[in-house]
Amino acid sequence: MNRSEDLFHRAQRVIPGGVNSPVRAFQAVGGKPLFIQRGNGSRIWDVDGKEYIDYVGSWGPLIFGHRSPEVIEALNQVLAIGTSFGAPTEREVELAELITQLLPSVEKVRLVSSGTEATMSAIRLARGFTGRERIIKFDGCYHGHGDSLLVRAGSGVATLGLPDSPGVPSSLAELTSVLPFNDSNALKSEFDRRGSQIACVIIEPVAGNMGCVEPRPGYLELLRNLTKRSGSILIFDEVMTGFRVALGGAQQRYGVQPDLTTMGKVIGGGLPVGAYGGRAEIMDRIAPAGPIYQAGTLSGNPLAVSAGLATLKRLQKDSPYDRLEALGARLERGVIEAAGKAGIQVRVNRVGSMLTFFFTDREVTDFQSARTSDTKRFSRFFHAMIDQGIYLPSSQFEAVFISAAHTESDIDQTVSAATRALEI
Ligand SMILES: *Cc1c(COP(=O)(O)O)cnc(C)c1O
């Protein structure tokens, strides 16, 4: 037994499923998870000493790779003065100012500790602000594990939500309408039917949690128009896309301004930070400015905030987006070429440094088409890549993340590995 297996064995005795978040368990691809010992730049090493090029990046946060120097320096500065006070500190104000500067739709922002907390709080705020209870989400979009959001569609166009998990009250899930992503007609008919009951629409403006799926041209604009007309709040869940697909997130990339934005991942630079923000008129309804309650003992934690602040400042200074685009395009091209040579159907969906290889001949525009992917082939591909020292997300329905620490030679090495992996 190697050390990873040994640790997993121990972990399973004291942690449900041996992991603290389900996707880490490799269940979708089979096999046992690797325990990671350390990381540096684009690389990670497992506890058995094997090196990998990392395309998970902690599931999105590490846009400058592991142990990026500005984050380490910022953390060291905070360690010298104390880790938590439960009282306001200067860096929180600085981070909030920087967020409002980078995202013009965000006039005021509240910091929390995870993406889940951000989306749960934004939904409560939208309901409290509008006095309405119904929300709309999209099939295959993930917004954390809050009760109202842990719901997906069955078949059919607009289905009333059924909970995805035992423990989610059906009375709550019923208030969530689930629509197919990218389907304008489904959206229009739901708004025709009960627009006046809809508190908010929450969407990943580029979906990342059914694999990477870009919005069709005009789709986000339609969403903006329908929500405006019916007095519903439009929430862009930019936990994954924020500061990644552009400095100003998907809202900058596609030129559509939501009422509220949820953030996480990159905003914490590898530490636990989430945030939600938007129009001041709405945000001022949150306690203590207003009556809608939301709080957190470690919200705005100095260590977490300093890592996020250092990351956002470096993004602003270095603007790595052209480079991320070029690296993404290089990986996309390489894998398409390799698949062509091996005679395997692959669709690569990519937005900048987020991408997914789908093993299907169909265009992937929503969760239904994503599910046409040959997940058995994906599993073989995943394990063949791991064997060759390439660490990909352990599910077909996740996005590969490239960081600014990746090099062209990392990408070329990955493409060579993919060429072999596709022959298996
Ligand atoms: C990761 C993610 C979340 C949840 O964030 P956590 O920090 O894991 O709670 C919410 N929304 C989107 C779009 C995400 O990608």
Side-chain angles (χ1 to χ4, degrees), residues 114-117 119 142-144 204 209 237 239-240 265:
S114 72
T116 295
E117 244 189 294
T119 57
Y142 178 68
H143 304 290
E204 293 180 70
N209 289 289
D237 181 358
V239 169
M240 190 181 285
K265 299 195 169 121

Side-chain angles (χ1 to χ4, degrees), residues 235-397:
I235 306 173
F236 277 3
D237 181 358
E238 297 233 39
V239 169
M240 190 181 285
T241 54
F243 318 104
R244 175 165 289 276
V245 300
L247 185 57
Q251 51 198 272
Q252 179 190 328
R253 192 168 177 123
Y254 298 99
V256 176
Q257 305 281 297
D259 302 302
L260 294 177
T261 301
T262 54
M263 292 156 261
K265 299 195 169 121
V266 170
I267 206 183
L271 274 85
V273 183
Y276 64 106
R279 280 164 44 207
E281 176 204 5
I282 306 173
M283 292 302 292
D284 279 337
R285 302 302 299 278
I286 298 165
I292 300 167
Y293 197 70
Q294 181 270 315
T297 301
L298 291 177
S299 293
N301 172 265
L303 275 173
V305 164
S306 73
L309 195 55
T311 303
L312 295 197
K313 280 187 184 162
R314 182 166 169 205
L315 284 171
Q316 196 178 26
K317 181 160 71 68
D318 289 6
S319 192
Y321 299 98
D322 287 346
R323 188 181 139 66
L324 289 170
E325 173 66 37
L327 291 170
R330 193 180 181 97
L331 181 58
E332 175 181 358
R333 236 181 2 252
V335 170
I336 288 174
E337 246 178 60
K341 276 189 219 142
I344 290 164
Q345 296 282 2
V346 69
R347 282 271 174 179
V348 183
N349 276 8
R350 182 177 69 81
V351 177
S353 57
M354 262 171 82
L355 71 162
T356 302
F357 318 117
F358 291 102
F359 294 101
T360 176
D361 56 358
R362 290 195 38 193
E363 197 191 352
V364 175
T365 57
D366 57 15
F367 196 33
Q368 199 188 344
S369 45
R371 274 183 297 211
T372 65
S373 188
D374 180 349
T375 52
K376 290 212 180 74
R377 175 166 280 289
F378 178 83
S379 300
R380 290 203 300 280
F381 180 69
F382 170 84
H383 285 290
M385 293 298 269
I386 287 276
D387 289 346
Q388 298 178 84
I390 311 290
Y391 190 81
L392 297 175
S394 53
S395 162
Q396 170 69 83
F397 306 109

